[in-house]
Amino acid sequence: MEPSDGPSLRAVLFDRDGTLIRDVPYNGDPGRVRPMPQARAVLKRLRFCGMATGVVSNQSGLGRGLLTYEQVGAVNARVEQLLGPFNVWEICPHSPEDGCRCRKPAPELISRACRRLGISPAEAAYVGDIGSDVEAARAAGVRGVMVPTPLTLPAEVEAAPEVAADLRSAIDLLLPAPSRRNIP
């Protein structure tokens, strides 16, 4: 999208597990947090360009009683230690059986992140690794980019409007060409 085509991008939101950090199911141990390849560089680049960054994540381990809020908070703090500060965090603490309105693929977490950042959905993008991520982006009215992992289902990749091989390629899709020059 060229800047003259509509609102310019002001924020990039990310799924946490499988996108920014290695997916360790129901991880409550900050010592097990490992960034995905390119995550640090991509976030540095976005921040250099003046983009707000955020994390939007389902954390069903809370609703299932497998994790405490303190454990999730400690893991999130470790993510920030390794990858730098995020402007916004939105977490769904419910299990899939709860029928909440915030769990992705519902749009509420992404919509709430945009409201907290003071931007319209047209000014945000969301990067995730599974179908519910891009479905949530579409439902919230933000641009969605999938970065598949070996766990991503082929049908999810096929259904995604935009797919990138890795985080760097995802950001290349989102940033206009002039914004990509001379950036770390």
Side-chain angles (χ1 to χ4, degrees), residues 6 39 74 102 121:
C102 58

Side-chain angles (χ1 to χ4, degrees), residues 41-176:
V42 160
L43 289 161
K44 180 179 179 181
R45 180 175 171 191
L46 288 170
R47 292 172 182 131
F48 179 84
C49 291
M51 294 285 162
T53 59
V55 179
V56 174
S57 180
N58 290 342
Q59 292 297 313
S60 67
L62 289 166
R64 291 179 166 133
L66 302 172
L67 295 171
T68 66
Y69 282 93
E70 291 77 19
Q71 288 173 310
V72 172
V75 167
N76 292 345
R78 181 66 177 152
V79 171
E80 286 203 331
Q81 282 179 334
L82 294 170
L83 300 178
F86 292 90
N87 300 92
V88 65
W89 284 81
E90 287 293 337
I91 303 295
C92 172
H94 305 106
S95 71
E97 300 77 31
D98 289 338
C100 70
R101 296 177 56 189
C102 58
R103 183 175 177 77
K104 296 178 295 178
E108 183 56 31
L109 291 178
I110 294 174
S111 298
R112 212 165 34 204
C114 290
R115 286 192 300 273
R116 288 183 56 206
L117 291 170
I119 62 173
S120 74
E123 297 172 302
Y126 186 65
V127 179
D129 65 315
I130 60 174
S132 65
D133 293 326
V134 293
E135 290 173 37
R138 185 179 303 128
V142 306
R143 186 172 173 187
V145 178
M146 178 183 280
V147 178
T149 70
L151 299 177
T152 309
L153 300 174
E156 293 175 325
V157 176
E158 193 173 302
E162 291 185 271
V163 178
D166 53 37
L167 284 172
R168 180 164 301 164
S169 299
I171 301 312
D172 285 346
L173 285 173
L174 296 171
L175 293 179

